[in-house]
Each structure stands twice: as structure tokens, then as C-alpha cells.
């Protein structure tokens, strides 16, 4: 058992790290949605110069 863990330690650590990052992203998205913040950040919130419609839906 310990041999298998030692042989796969790198894979296990990378997997745990990736899962933690994904969990933090999902948590952040859920928190922003709960607070009413837009998930569209590519235009920086400058709706006058935004070609996307993500902000305009929440402001109208």
C-alpha cells in the first residue's frame, strides 16, 4: 500500500491541488452570484465599451 502511495505521490498531489483550485473557483462564482455580481469580467465592468451582453441583462 505504501509503495503504491509513494509511486503515485506526484499524481496524487497534483490531483489534490487541481481539485482545490477548481473548488475555490466554484466557491468564488457561487459567492459572486449570491452577491449579485456579474460573472462577465472580460470588459472590466465598463458597460459603455462592452461588446458583450452579459452586463446589460442585469442592468435593464
Amino acid at each position: 500500500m505504501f509503495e503504491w502511495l509513494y509511486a503515485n505521490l506526484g499524481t496524487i498531489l497534483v490531483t489534490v491541488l487541481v481539485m482545490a483550485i477548481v473548488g475555490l473557483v466554484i466557491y468564488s462564482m457561487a459567492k459572486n452570484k449570491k452577491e449579485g455580481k456579474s460573472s462577465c469580467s472580460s470588459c472590466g465592468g465598463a458597460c459603455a465599451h462592452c461588446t458583450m451582453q452579459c452586463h446589460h441583462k442585469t442592468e435593464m
Side-chain angles (χ1 to χ4, degrees):
M1 170 99 173
F2 290 113
E3 291 176 16
W4 181 85
L5 284 173
Y6 184 72
N8 294 301
L9 187 60
T11 303
I12 293 168
L13 291 176
V14 169
T15 302
V16 169
L17 180 66
V18 169
M19 288 175 62
I21 291 170
V22 169
L24 288 173
V25 168
I26 291 172
Y27 172 77
S28 175
M29 290 173 64
K31 183 179 173 187
N32 286 344
K33 183 172 178 130
K34 187 176 181 180
E35 292 175 356
K37 294 180 182 177
S38 175
S39 63
C40 178
S41 61
S42 62
C43 64
C47 295
H49 303 290
C50 185
T51 59
M52 303 173 88
Q53 297 298 318
C54 54
H55 292 290
H56 302 289
K57 291 178 186 175
T58 59
E59 291 182 1
M60 291 184 162

